[in-house]
Amino acid sequence: MAAPALSFSDLTFRYDSVVAVREVSLSLAQGEVLCLLGPSGCGKSTLLRLAAGLERVQQGTIALSGEVVAGQGTEVPPEQRRVGLVFQDYALFPHLSAIDNVAFGLAHKPRPERRALALAALERVGLAAAADAFPHTLSGGQQQRVALARALAPEPRVMLMDEPFSGLDARLRMQVREDTLAVLRRAGTASVIVTHDPEEAMAMADRIAVMREGRVLQVAAPGTLFLQPADAFVAGFFGDLEQLVGQVRAGVAETALGPVPAPGQADGTSVTVHIRESAIRLDPAGVPADVLSVRTLGADCRVRLRIGEGSEVTARLTGPRAPAVGSRVTVGLDPDQAFVFG
């Protein structure tokens, strides 16, 4: 079995008294795309900086393709780790053309080869025609692709990308990340992408590592994280949650919206049931609810409902046609999007 492209073992890192990374053990398979997902300050970017060698390991080890590059008395310099880096601001040299920006990362190659290799890298990202253009003449998406070409040109063992799409507008961001993912897949490059956007992580990753306060809470495929979150924090990162009280009977929590599985909970226990807004839907066979307010969001709408004996929840309903405020509807619950945590 091939060694992981990148692995962290029992990694802890502090900035003075602040623990930025706490006992993280995590690995990246060859060719895999892994997203580090979490709020600002959770340690995502610090993990990337440690992998790149921009910060020195204080506790634990980092290995690339089975070779320890940090920890255990070893500290391989960044330029010798063969990792590609793409930052949020792309860090292109304004006085160099696109092809010269890419060639800058090929200084170890003989001069005659650099331009040919740089042009091939630009071809890979669809920008060969703009090889002689300067960064200020390129769009944000084109600049991002030049940065990607520069990082890929030396054929890194691992690509590390820190919020690479956050500076783009919403429509362009979607197209550029799809293009970037296609390039990474064709190159077969194992990649770690830092993001705070759950939709972006779901769209790009083979697996997602959700982080909070320096710890990795759960690592799994996108579908598993959505349907089987480890706790309320992970569940809430993939959609706003509503809370209802439920009474457990025979492994099921009875709520005002209907039954929800509650495995491992004792009969008679009162539990908090976490429900995604998207789990609540119009259902002729459901329970009655009064519409308190409506906010249309284009393709869908958020509707505030009163159900049962005064319980209020917000539902995110598909489609632009919302029920009228003051009307009465019947709603049901998708139990796959409702969770009881121990």
Side-chain angles (χ1 to χ4, degrees):
M1 181 180 295
L6 170 66
S7 61
F8 303 111
S9 299
D10 193 29
L11 208 62
T12 294
F13 184 86
R14 295 173 175 82
Y15 292 107
D16 297 324
S17 60
V18 177
V19 182
V21 173
R22 297 174 182 267
E23 301 173 350
V24 169
S25 293
L26 184 64
S27 64
L28 171 71
Q30 300 288 345
E32 182 182 25
V33 176
L34 174 73
C35 279
L36 300 179
L37 176 66
S40 298
C42 73
K44 309 183 299 294
S45 293
T46 299
L47 271 182
L48 234 63
R49 292 178 63 82
L50 287 163
L54 303 179
E55 302 286 356
R56 291 182 65 89
V57 165
Q58 298 168 350
Q59 176 185 315
T61 60
I62 300 173
L64 289 165
S65 301
E67 172 196 352
V68 174
V69 296
Q72 299 178 348
T74 298
E75 193 68 39
V76 176
E79 64 273 14
Q80 296 179 19
R81 296 194 182 188
R82 286 187 56 206
V83 297
L85 287 169
V86 178
F87 295 105
Q88 181 176 340
D89 62 1
Y90 312 142
L92 299 178
F93 297 109
H95 63 289
L96 296 181
S97 65
I99 194 166
D100 288 336
N101 263 282
V102 176
F104 185 85
L106 297 168
H108 61 290
K109 295 287 187 181
R111 185 178 296 274
E113 291 184 31
R114 293 180 199 168
R115 185 173 180 87
L117 291 171
L119 187 61
L122 286 171
E123 181 73 44
R124 187 184 294 179
V125 300
L127 276 182
D132 295 318
F134 286 85
H136 73 275
T137 68
L138 301 175
S139 68
Q142 289 173 321
Q143 290 180 37
Q144 196 275 346
R145 284 188 280 160
V146 172
L148 179 62
R150 182 177 62 186
L152 283 171
E155 298 183 340
R157 292 189 285 192
V158 175
M159 179 70 72
L160 306 174
M161 308 180 74
D162 193 356
E163 301 277 7
F165 315 111
S166 61
L168 305 174
D169 65 67
R171 181 170 295 181
L172 181 59
R173 184 185 309 133
M174 184 179 300
Q175 183 60 55
V176 171
R177 77 187 183 203
E178 289 177 0
D179 292 344
T180 298
L181 184 60
V183 170
L184 294 174
R185 295 294 191 202
R186 286 197 299 270
T189 306
S191 306
V192 181
I193 302 173
V194 163
T195 181
H196 63 272
D197 182 345
E199 180 180 313
E200 186 167 280
M202 297 280 279
M204 297 197 73
D206 296 309
R207 288 187 304 148
I208 300 171
V210 181
M211 296 187 66
R212 183 185 189 187
E213 297 178 350
R215 297 186 184 278
V216 173
L217 301 183
Q218 187 175 3
V219 187
T224 300
L225 280 176
F226 190 80
L227 294 173
Q228 301 172 35
D231 59 24
F233 180 84
V234 175
F237 226 88
F238 295 94
D240 292 331
L241 298 178
E242 294 292 306
Q243 295 183 358
L244 288 175
V245 174
Q247 296 295 320
V248 178
R249 294 182 179 80
V252 173
E254 297 292 344
T255 76
L257 278 171
V260 173
Q265 301 293 325
D267 276 9
T269 303
S270 180
V271 295
T272 299
V273 181
H274 302 267
I275 299 170
R276 296 194 195 282
E277 291 183 358
S278 57
I280 305 168
R281 57 201 178 187
L282 298 177
D283 181 353
V287 299
D290 297 314
V291 179
L292 304 179
S293 65
V294 174
R295 182 182 299 174
T296 300
L297 303 174
D300 54 14
C301 56
R302 297 183 79 218
V303 180
R304 191 69 178 169
L305 302 167
R306 181 186 293 118
I307 55 175
E309 298 179 2
S311 296
E312 294 186 11
V313 294
T314 298
R316 193 172 185 115
L317 304 180
T318 301
R321 296 186 181 279
V325 174
S327 65
R328 171 160 282 202
V329 295
T330 53
V331 293
L333 180 67
D334 175 5
D336 284 340
Q337 298 188 64
F339 314 102
V340 177
F341 300 106

